[in-house]
Amino acid sequence: MSLSKPREVFIQGLTLEGRTFRPSDWAERLAGAMSCFRPGGVVGGPGAHIGYSPYCVPTVINGVKCVIVNEALREIEPMAWDFVMNFARDNGLQVADACLLPDPPPKARPGL
């Protein structure tokens, strides 16, 4: 069993030619399609709410729409992993392996 943190794959809203991918809500649509893949499985009933899976999250990085896909999705549901990776390949999108770094903690102000 590996103790290393699963890596993340960034699917960027730029084609291999450098053009902005359309439609403009592609990241939200892709992440929405993956929203049922969550730790502990799908939760239904009155307490359920709409939200993105932590394994497939839309975001904007340096002004470019992206979907961050956690490699853990491959272990949970290989077909879902294949779906998002094939989406990127079929649409000629740029893909980067990376790890999203957390924001640094706020600095303490002197005198507080």
Side-chain angles (χ1 to χ4, degrees), residues 1-64:
M1 183 171 153
S2 172
L3 296 178
S4 65
K5 181 181 177 196
R7 68 187 174 110
E8 295 167 323
V9 175
F10 290 55
I11 301 174
Q12 302 174 46
L14 295 173
T15 65
L16 296 172
E17 295 82 27
R19 292 190 299 268
T20 301
F21 183 65
R22 298 283 182 231
S24 61
D25 65 345
W26 73 270
E28 293 83 2
R29 289 182 187 198
L30 180 59
M34 297 292 108
S35 65
C36 63
F37 299 104
R38 303 173 173 273
V42 177
V43 177
H49 63 279
I50 296 173
Y52 297 116
S53 165
Y55 304 122
C56 191
V57 181
T59 191
V60 176
I61 300 175
N62 294 328
V64 177

Side-chain angles (χ1 to χ4, degrees), residues 85-93:
M85 299 313 292
N86 288 334
F87 175 88
R89 186 196 69 224
D90 294 347
N91 289 290
L93 299 179

